[in-house]
Structure formats: structure tokens, C-alpha cells
Amino acid sequence: MYEWIKAFHVMAVIAWMASMLYLPRLMVYHAEAQTGSIQSETFKIMERRLLKGIMTPSMIVTWILGLYLAWSGFGFKGGWLHGKILLVFILSGIHGYLVGRVRAFAEDRNLKSARFYRIINEVPAVLMALIVILVVVKPF
Ligand code: HEM
């Protein structure tokens, strides 16, 4: 059972991370599009569907299955696990921030530059690398 749950946890992680890397990339192009243009309206639809259809559901599944693994496999013990949960909290905070940016774009009140979204785009990648090292290598 544990191994099955872990397999579904990793599938949910892949879907969440794919969206967390793609959404800010869409915003890089959206920030450069003219307000009211066809491109801008298309980006709004793409952002909303990615967020509601994949990103938020996969985050919820990742959390539920991850917490089950942490409880049943490790009794919530281990420095690596505490470090991992802390980093996933930060990742979830960025998720929440991106929800706010999707709303800002939807209401045509984005004031942030394409460069800003390019920088934000790197943060989930760095966190993901640290999280995977913690859970696979378990260095402490
Ligand atoms: C709060 C959310 C999370 C919790 C509590 C959690 C907890 C866990 C636990 C306990 C395991 C099993 C480790 C083992 O059996 O050795 C696991 C596996 C794994 N987790 Fe998470 N996880 C969470 C979110 C994430 C995220 C966000 C990522 C990636 C960005 C991730 C990536 C992985 C990977 C790749 C594995 C498989 C590791 C292996 O089989 O060696 N997890 N997770």
C-alpha cells in the first residue's frame, strides 16, 4: 500500500511542478502582451485553466499523500522530513502568490514586468531540487 501511495504522490508532484514552472513562463509573455489584445485574453484562459484544472488539484493531492507517507512511514520524524515540509510550505506560499497574479492579470491590473516573472520562474525550480535531495538522499 505504502509504495502505491508513494507512486501517486510522485505523479501528483510531477503535475504540480510542471504547472509551477509553466505558469510564471506564461506570465512572462502575458506581461509583454497589450492589454485587451487577443493574445492577452488567450493567456487569461490558459492561466485560469492551468491553475484550476491542474495546479491546485495536484498541490492538494501532493499534500494529502505526502502527509500520509510522512505519518505512516516515519511518524513525522526526521530532520530531512522537517526540512522538506518547511520547503513545501514555501513552495505552497509561491503557489498562493501566483493565484493572486492570475487574478491580477484576469482583471487587467498587472503592473509587474516580464523580467519579474522570469526571476519568479526560477524559485520553484530551486526549491524542487532541494526537496528532492532531502527526500532521496536524506542527508540529516
Ligand atoms: C507536505 C508535502 C509533502 C510531504 C509531507 C512529503 C513526504 C514524503 C514522504 C514521507 C515520502 C516517502 C519517502 C520514503 O519512502 O523514503 C515522499 C516521497 C517523495 N516525495 Fe514527497 N512530500 C511532500 C511533497 C513533495 C514535493 C513538493 C515534492 C517535489 C517537489 C516531493 C517529492 C517526493 C519524491 C520525489 C519522493 C520519492 C522519493 C523516493 O522514493 O526515494 N514531495 N514524500
Side-chain angles (χ1 to χ4, degrees):
M1 185 67 177
Y2 181 86
E3 301 300 332
W4 278 98
I5 299 285
K6 188 150 82 172
F8 284 103
H9 174 66
V10 173
M11 288 179 222
V13 163
I14 289 170
W16 186 25
M17 288 313 304
S19 335
M20 289 286 282
L21 298 174
Y22 186 45
L23 186 60
R25 176 80 359 216
L26 276 178
M27 289 171 173
V28 168
Y29 302 123
H30 198 167
E32 284 168 346
Q34 190 98 45
T35 304
S37 64
I38 294 177
Q39 286 95 327
S40 175
E41 295 307 306
T42 307
F43 282 131
K44 285 182 191 179
I45 297 169
M46 292 169 78
E47 286 157 2
R48 194 185 63 233
R49 292 205 179 144
L50 182 65
L51 180 66
K52 301 240 161 102
I54 301 176
M55 200 164 116
T56 298
S58 60
M59 178 187 70
I60 294 168
V61 174
T62 298
W63 265 101
I64 293 172
L65 300 186
L67 288 174
Y68 172 82
L69 293 170
W71 166 71
S72 77
F74 301 91
F76 286 111
K77 289 196 183 76
W80 64 273
L81 182 57
H82 300 153
K84 181 181 177 181
I85 292 175
L86 176 70
L87 294 182
V88 182
F89 259 113
I90 298 171
L91 198 59
S92 305
I94 296 170
H95 180 117
Y97 179 73
L98 291 175
V99 172
R101 299 320 302 161
V102 168
R103 208 166 288 150
F105 271 114
E107 294 165 3
D108 290 327
R109 52 176 178 78
N110 171 60
L111 297 174
K112 310 257 185 237
S113 65
R115 192 177 132 71
F116 172 82
Y117 291 107
R118 236 176 232 124
I119 293 166
I120 282 285
N121 206 182
E122 305 302 328
V123 184
V126 173
L127 286 171
M128 183 257 293
L130 295 174
I131 290 168
V132 171
I133 290 168
L134 279 178
V135 70
V136 174
V137 181
K138 299 187 177 57
F140 47 83

